């Protein structure tokens, strides 16, 4: 389905959409095309350097394959987030792929005509530079997270998902995206069995409830307190457990 930039005004994500923010300087629809695409879970999403992509709904995962053929989830992008920006730079990685993490994931693809691209203002370029800088900051923060104890990693992940659930803000219990256990484990550098064990412990404490595909956070304060435990000393027992999680 094709939509021009003005049609974005009817989208519920307009207040948090990085795509709309980046394209706000193009007041005329000429030369600007936005296409919405819907994907089933694990469906690949094509990325090229000629357009900007943002998540409208659902979750997108970025996956990289190493020299041994093993895959690792490097990042998740939630509603309103841009993704695939590496395709616009010399930093593009041939083994990096993007795909839908949950069904149904909807992606907005904004393509500029060559003339519209030439009219890009310094603000537009600065906005994209800021997004790329944010990716570097997030990658650095993630390296710290996966060095922490396994429960700390899980708490940090749940808080990350919770912050992304802005449409349900204010509810006592917030449902999280139905992301597969294997993807969560890959992203957190844990075994799938460790993810299940920690979530069971969180349920026992009353911090979360429900099955994985309908997981709800009931005590965000407790999870946030645990998530602040990043930076556990390497000699601690919990850190040793995490490293072998």
């Amino acid at each position: 389905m094709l939509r021009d930039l003005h049609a974005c005004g009817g989208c519920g994500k307009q207040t948090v959409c990085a795509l709309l923010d980046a394209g706000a300087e193009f007041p005329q629809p000429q030369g600007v095309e936005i296409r919405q695409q819907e994907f089933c879970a694990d469906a690949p999403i094509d990325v090229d350097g000629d357009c900007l992509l943002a998540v409208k709904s659902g979750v997108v995962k970025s996956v990289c394959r190493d020299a041994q053929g093993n895959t690792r989830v490097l990042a998740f992008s939630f509603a309103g987030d841009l993704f695939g920006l590496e395709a616009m730079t010399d930093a593009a990685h041939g083994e990096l792929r993007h795909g839908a993490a949950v069904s149904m994931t909807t992606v907005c693809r904004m393509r500029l005509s060559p003339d519209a691209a030439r009219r890009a203002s310094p603000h537009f370029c600065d906005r994209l530079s800021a997004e790329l800088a944010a990716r570097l900051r997030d990658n650095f923060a993630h390296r710290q997270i996966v060095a922490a104890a396994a429960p700390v990693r899980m708490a940090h992940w749940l808080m990350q998902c919770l912050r992304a659930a802005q449409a349900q803000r204010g509810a006592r219990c917030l449902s999280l995206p139905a992301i597969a256990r294997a993807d969560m484990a890959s992203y957190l550098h844990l075994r799938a069995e460790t993810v299940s064990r920690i979530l069971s412990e969180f349920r026992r404490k009353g911090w979360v409830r429900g099955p994985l595909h309908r997981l709800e956070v009931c005590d965000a304060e407790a999870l946030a307190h645990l998530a602040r435990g990043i930076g556990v000393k390497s000699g601690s027992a919990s850190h040793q457990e995490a490293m072998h999680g």
Side-chain angles (χ1 to χ4, degrees):
M1 178 174 61
L2 294 176
R3 303 172 58 202
D4 62 43
L5 197 60
H6 295 302
C8 292
C11 176
K13 299 293 188 302
Q14 59 181 317
T15 59
V16 294
C17 180
L19 181 63
L20 185 61
D21 183 28
E25 68 171 271
F26 299 102
Q28 302 299 323
Q30 290 79 11
V32 180
E33 177 188 276
I34 293 183
R35 181 188 299 270
Q36 286 187 3
Q37 297 174 292
E38 193 171 74
F39 300 89
C40 297
D42 293 321
I45 300 173
D46 293 333
V47 173
D48 59 64
D50 296 329
C51 59
L52 292 175
L53 295 100
V55 184
K56 175 177 173 60
S57 62
V59 185
V60 169
K61 60 182 176 182
S62 301
V63 180
C64 189
R65 186 184 301 273
D66 62 23
Q68 289 72 42
N70 301 314
T71 58
R72 172 76 69 183
V73 177
L74 301 180
F76 288 98
S77 301
F78 298 92
D81 291 343
L82 292 176
F83 69 95
L85 290 175
E86 71 285 340
M88 305 179 68
T89 72
D90 293 333
H93 194 299
E95 296 300 325
L96 181 63
R97 299 288 184 268
H98 304 278
V102 301
S103 291
M104 301 296 293
T105 292
T106 304
V107 170
C108 293
R109 185 183 301 265
M110 184 175 81
R111 190 178 301 277
L112 305 179
S113 68
D115 179 64
R118 282 193 295 271
R119 291 187 288 107
S121 71
H123 168 75
F124 180 76
C125 298
D126 289 346
R127 184 69 177 83
L128 294 185
S129 296
E131 285 289 336
L132 288 169
R135 298 299 184 274
L136 293 175
R137 183 181 64 246
D138 291 344
N139 289 340
F140 177 77
H142 189 59
R143 288 201 299 270
Q144 291 181 298
I145 293 166
V146 298
V152 176
R153 301 184 214 181
M154 181 57 62
H156 193 280
W157 161 248
L158 292 175
M159 292 305 299
Q160 181 181 349
C161 292
L162 190 61
R163 287 190 292 269
Q166 299 188 40
Q168 301 181 65
R169 182 180 299 165
R172 185 171 181 270
C173 293
L174 297 182
S175 298
L176 303 183
I179 295 174
R181 185 182 66 159
D183 287 344
M184 294 169 55
S186 177
Y187 179 65
L188 296 173
H189 294 205
L190 295 171
R191 288 194 290 261
E193 295 79 5
T194 304
V195 168
S196 295
R197 176 174 56 80
I198 295 172
L199 287 176
S200 294
E201 179 64 17
F202 286 0
R203 291 187 186 95
R204 187 187 66 79
K205 293 180 177 181
W207 296 354
V208 299
R209 72 180 183 188
L212 185 60
H213 65 283
R214 289 197 305 270
L215 194 66
E216 296 180 335
V217 171
C218 300
D219 194 340
E221 184 176 352
L223 290 171
H225 180 76
L226 180 58
R228 287 192 290 269
I230 295 173
V232 177
K233 298 297 183 181
S234 59
S236 69
S238 58
H239 183 80
Q240 294 299 320
E241 174 193 7
M243 296 307 292
H244 299 286

